[in-house]
Amino acid sequence: MIDKQSLHGEWSSRFAFILAATGSAVGLGNIWKFPYIAGENGGSAFVMVYVVCVVLMGIPIMMAETMLGRRAKQNPVATMQTLTKEAGADTRWQYLAWMGMVAGFLILSYYSVIAGWASAYTLKAVMGDFFGSDAQKTSVMFAEFISSPIRLIFWHSFFMLATMIIVSKGIRNGLERAVQMLMPVLFVMMFLLVGYAMTTSGYSQGLHFLFSPDFSKITGKVVLTAIGQAFFSLGLGMGTMMIYGAYLPKNVSIAKSTIIVASADTIVALLAGIAIFPIVFANGLQPDSGPGLVFETLPIAFGNMTGGWLFGVLFFIMLVVAALTSSIALIEPAVAWLIESKEMTRDQACVRAGLVAWVLGFVTVLSFNRWADVHFFGQTLFELIDALTANIMLPAGGFAIAIFAGWMMKQPHTEQELALPTMQYKIWKVLISYVAPAGVFLIFLHVVGVL
Ligand code: PHE
């Protein structure tokens, strides 16, 4: 059982895994979401808590989730079934994987809609629509854009189709080849944009907003949002790292690779902040303007800077690319499950899973126009799906993974899989058994008002 191969093949190398996992981690979460929720949650206060969450909970759980996948080398549901048997634990642990798959569909459903916005904005950039923009013009352009359900559905369909095509080609020819081409492009463009931000008049104010510590702004909501964002951005708690781990050759160090992935992810999020906030401040925009932030702010910069046309086109291509390498990771657990358990071909599995997420996506599309006034608990349907998945399902999944890896699995098995020097293993063991689960748990208690 332990030495078996994944049905779907393996990554060709450690580097391929790192790229794919970084591709999964780096996405809309870093470039679109991180800046706007940092902006809504007090900037630097949020950034501080976020980084602490990544180090104390994110990295140990990322190691654990990857380890579970590599040990069983199957889709997340079967992986949990195999591992509970091996550990002699309750079979209900497999619900963890089911919850993850549901979370994956929900996230992908809105992810694809937002990635659709980025695709549409790529075209606007190419057409020169941002030329001479000011804050007024870009806000109107964005409001007008999201007001049309048909247009949003068109771009959502376009993006979902692209995801399905890549995933249908399999591990090496689809996922791996895509990230190998796309990731380097993304990093280069990120640095170019930061370079531009440094030349704007809002640069020091932007840096101040993101990095000068302000403990007074740390509230329960800031902490919950930060931990949710850490899970979301690292792509944890829903089976993605489990399935990517299942494709990981046995001799690769899980610890080293996941630390590289988590660091790269955090760096990109911070770079996105450094690129965006100076432009926000230089143009008198509000940092807390919500999901439209990058769509309303950056076009101003692109519309007025030298070479802005090129930068604009590059930026939105980068956003689409980053989203693609994450959307394939969001759908892969369900695809692997359909292939293994329902005996479908990869093509059939992609079509089924893609269709489910596509239809679910209509809820998000409508929540920005026709259903904009439909509120539950004071939130639109999009905000609700986002909060339910990022702030509840992913941390809950991560919590369960931590408990399973820390308390249920036999120590010799985790030792063997992680293959770490004694001291480092002990640090991981303490983090995964106590620190990470306690952290998630306390935050939940705080939010439901018990503390
Ligand atoms: N990490 C991705 C992002 O930041 C989203 C994602 C979540 C991907 C969960 C895979 C799993 O955009």
Side-chain angles (χ1 to χ4, degrees):
M1 184 56 77
I2 301 300
D3 284 331
K4 79 182 233 192
Q5 281 259 330
S6 157
L7 203 71
H8 315 276
E10 286 190 336
W11 304 115
S12 59
S13 63
R14 171 172 109 115
F15 184 62
F17 167 76
I18 292 177
L19 265 189
T22 307
S24 153
V26 172
L28 294 176
N30 308 59
I31 305 169
W32 161 74
K33 198 171 178 197
F34 179 83
Y36 91 74
I37 59 175
E40 286 175 337
N41 287 280
S44 58
F46 176 87
V47 174
M48 270 187 309
V49 181
Y50 176 78
V51 173
V52 171
C53 289
V54 169
V55 174
L56 292 185
M57 300 174 213
I59 293 178
I61 294 178
M62 192 178 229
M63 283 171 62
E65 188 173 335
T66 311
M67 173 186 81
L68 299 186
R70 189 174 66 181
R71 186 147 188 90
K73 293 206 159 288
Q74 289 154 294
N75 70 78
V77 174
T79 285
M80 288 314 292
Q81 286 165 344
T82 303
L83 295 181
T84 41
K85 216 177 281 162
E86 183 185 73
D90 194 307
T91 54
R92 277 174 294 186
W93 278 101
Q94 62 172 293
Y95 291 134
L96 151 67
W98 287 108
M99 180 178 71
M101 263 196 301
V102 174
F105 277 116
L106 289 174
I107 296 175
L108 183 59
S109 78
Y110 79 75
Y111 208 83
S112 166
V113 175
I114 312 291
W117 297 359
S119 317
Y121 265 65
T122 308
L123 189 63
K124 284 187 196 297
V126 172
M127 306 299 282
D129 287 2
F130 307 145
F131 190 71
S133 285
D134 55 21
Q136 161 81 12
K137 185 172 162 197
T138 57
S139 307
V140 171
M141 183 193 277
F142 181 68
E144 200 254 338
F145 172 67
I146 60 171
S147 69
S148 157
I150 297 295
R151 202 178 310 138
L152 297 194
I153 288 174
F154 172 81
W155 289 107
H156 162 53
S157 313
F158 166 82
F159 184 82
M160 193 63 89
L161 201 65
T163 303
M164 283 153 67
I165 292 173
I166 296 181
V167 178
S168 72
K169 303 220 177 302
I171 309 303
R172 290 203 183 177
N173 290 329
L175 311 194
E176 193 172 311
R177 222 196 261 165
V179 291
Q180 250 156 16
M181 286 185 324
L182 302 178
M183 292 307 289
V185 182
L186 193 141
F187 274 93
V188 171
M189 289 199 280
M190 202 77 235
F191 280 107
L192 285 177
L193 268 174
V194 169
Y196 169 73
M198 286 166 77
T199 66
T200 65
S201 61
Y203 190 58
S204 63
Q205 202 183 345
L207 284 192
H208 180 80
F209 179 73
L210 279 173
F211 298 116
S212 74
D214 182 356
F215 295 94
S216 69
K217 291 217 184 95
I218 301 181
T219 63
K221 176 174 168 272
V222 168
V223 177
L224 180 76
T225 318
I227 186 175
Q229 173 64 8
F231 280 95
F232 182 83
S233 188
L234 295 171
L236 297 182
M238 54 141 286
T240 285
M241 288 313 292
M242 228 184 260
I243 198 70
Y244 276 24
Y247 308 150
L248 184 61
K250 279 286 176 205
N251 55 1
V252 173
S253 158
I254 291 180
K256 273 195 211 135
S257 345
T258 50
I259 288 173
I260 294 175
V261 174
S263 313
D265 184 63
T266 309
I267 290 170
V268 174
L270 296 176
L271 285 178
I274 298 175
I276 286 162
F277 284 109
I279 301 175
V280 170
F281 292 118
N283 292 284
L285 290 152
Q286 292 307 318
D288 59 354
S289 64
L293 188 70
V294 297
F295 296 94
E296 288 168 338
T297 52
L298 292 180
I300 303 176
F302 302 139
N304 295 292
M305 67 204 246
T306 345
W309 180 87
L310 187 64
F311 277 119
V313 173
L314 288 180
F315 174 81
F316 285 107
I317 292 180
M318 167 176 94
L319 201 54
V320 177
V321 163
L324 258 183
T325 56
S326 298
S327 62
I328 56 183
L330 281 161
I331 207 172
E332 181 66 19
V335 168
W337 174 74
L338 287 172
I339 298 172
E340 289 174 22
S341 307
K342 301 285 162 215
E343 285 163 18
M344 290 187 190
T345 63
R346 193 165 255 279
D347 285 347
Q348 290 167 335
C350 285
V351 172
R352 300 287 162 90
L355 274 179
V356 173
W358 181 70
V359 172
L360 281 174
F362 286 25
V363 176
T364 295
V365 164
L366 294 171
S367 83
F368 284 102
N369 34 66
R370 300 272 157 83
W371 295 349
D373 294 328
V374 181
H375 285 87
F376 293 94
F377 310 106
Q379 296 187 305
T380 64
L381 288 168
F382 155 71
E383 288 166 339
L384 211 62
I385 301 176
D386 177 29
L388 175 70
T389 48
N391 295 354
I392 298 178
M393 294 174 90
L394 299 188
F399 175 80
I401 288 169
I403 299 289
F404 188 81
W407 298 92
M408 299 293 145
M409 282 179 81
K410 304 235 165 31
Q411 178 141 339
H413 294 163
T414 54
E415 270 173 357
Q416 180 197 10
E417 212 55 57
L418 293 177
L420 284 172
T422 318
M423 197 54 212
Q424 294 176 14
Y425 177 80
K426 280 198 179 131
I427 295 175
W428 173 79
K429 184 82 182 173
V430 169
L431 289 174
I432 203 72
S433 315
Y434 301 100
V435 179
V440 179
F441 190 67
L442 286 178
I443 288 160
F444 271 134
L445 281 187
H446 182 85
V447 169
V448 295
V450 180
L451 273 183

